[in-house]
Amino acid sequence: MILFFDVCVKTLFELGRNYPWPRPERCSCCKGRIWAHGFDTAYFDDFPEPLWIRKYRCVDCRTVFRTRPSGYWSRFQAAIATIREHIAHRLTERRWKPDLPRSRQRHWLNGLRKQILTHFGTGASDDPLQAFDSLIARGVCAAS
Ligand SMILES: [Zn+2]
């Protein structure tokens, strides 16, 4: 299970394991007690090394909780805002932005098209960016 927190990724980079991650009061599964459970690492764009990400564990039901900065989807190194910006650029300028590999940007746009098809059906892709925002509002990863 993943817990999203408002975390400044730059501060996380600077403080490493000393970052003061907020600890949830109770387990969202069983309302049990949450204890710290070590760290994971995760890569984020603009940082050459993986960053330390706090893990928690419920001592009662043993669920492990991974944390993630809000503004990032699970398994994505780029921020959601970055992904949206690059898709928007492609749709309006009909060119990929030069700052990131085209393959990544293409992957995001193809992911968005799949999600639009899955959630809105065919013929609903008139405004992919609006669909992107609608998918986010539904809690869907719009680019996978
Ligand atoms: Zn629990």
Side-chain angles (χ1 to χ4, degrees):
M1 192 167 287
I2 297 174
L3 303 171
F4 291 90
F5 290 109
D6 287 329
V7 164
C8 171
V9 180
K10 189 166 176 272
T11 309
L12 184 60
F13 170 71
E14 289 163 359
L15 298 181
R17 287 177 187 240
N18 295 320
Y19 187 87
W21 288 90
R23 184 162 58 94
E25 290 275 314
R26 294 273 158 201
C27 172
S28 54
C29 301
C30 76
K31 308 294 174 209
R33 296 159 295 156
I34 300 278
W35 286 4
H37 188 57
F39 292 89
D40 254 345
T41 55
Y43 281 94
F44 295 94
D45 279 357
D46 305 322
F47 299 97
E49 295 169 10
L51 308 189
W52 293 106
I53 300 291
R54 175 53 96 185
K55 286 198 301 184
Y56 295 104
R57 183 168 169 264
C58 172
V59 284
D60 297 308
C61 74
R62 299 180 179 198
T63 299
V64 172
F65 298 91
R66 298 178 55 137
T67 54
R68 190 94 184 141
S70 51
Y72 288 80
W73 282 311
S74 179
R75 299 187 297 277
F76 280 79
Q77 292 181 31
I80 295 170
T82 303
I83 294 171
R84 191 188 190 285
E85 179 193 328
H86 284 74
I87 289 175
H89 184 274
R90 172 66 178 138
L91 294 172
T92 55
E93 307 296 322
R94 299 186 179 278
R95 309 170 61 169
W96 302 108
K97 280 192 85 170
D99 60 336
L100 289 176
R102 286 184 208 169
S103 58
R104 284 182 80 190
Q105 299 179 62
R106 193 178 298 117
H107 175 76
W108 297 336
L109 184 56
N110 287 340
L112 174 60
R113 289 191 171 126
K114 278 185 202 155
Q115 292 300 335
I116 289 172
L117 200 58
T118 302
H119 292 272
F120 305 115
T122 52
S125 55
D126 298 345
D127 190 345
L129 284 178
Q130 190 184 34
F132 187 97
D133 297 334
S134 298
L135 288 163
I136 289 176
R138 292 179 179 200
V140 173
C141 175
S144 69

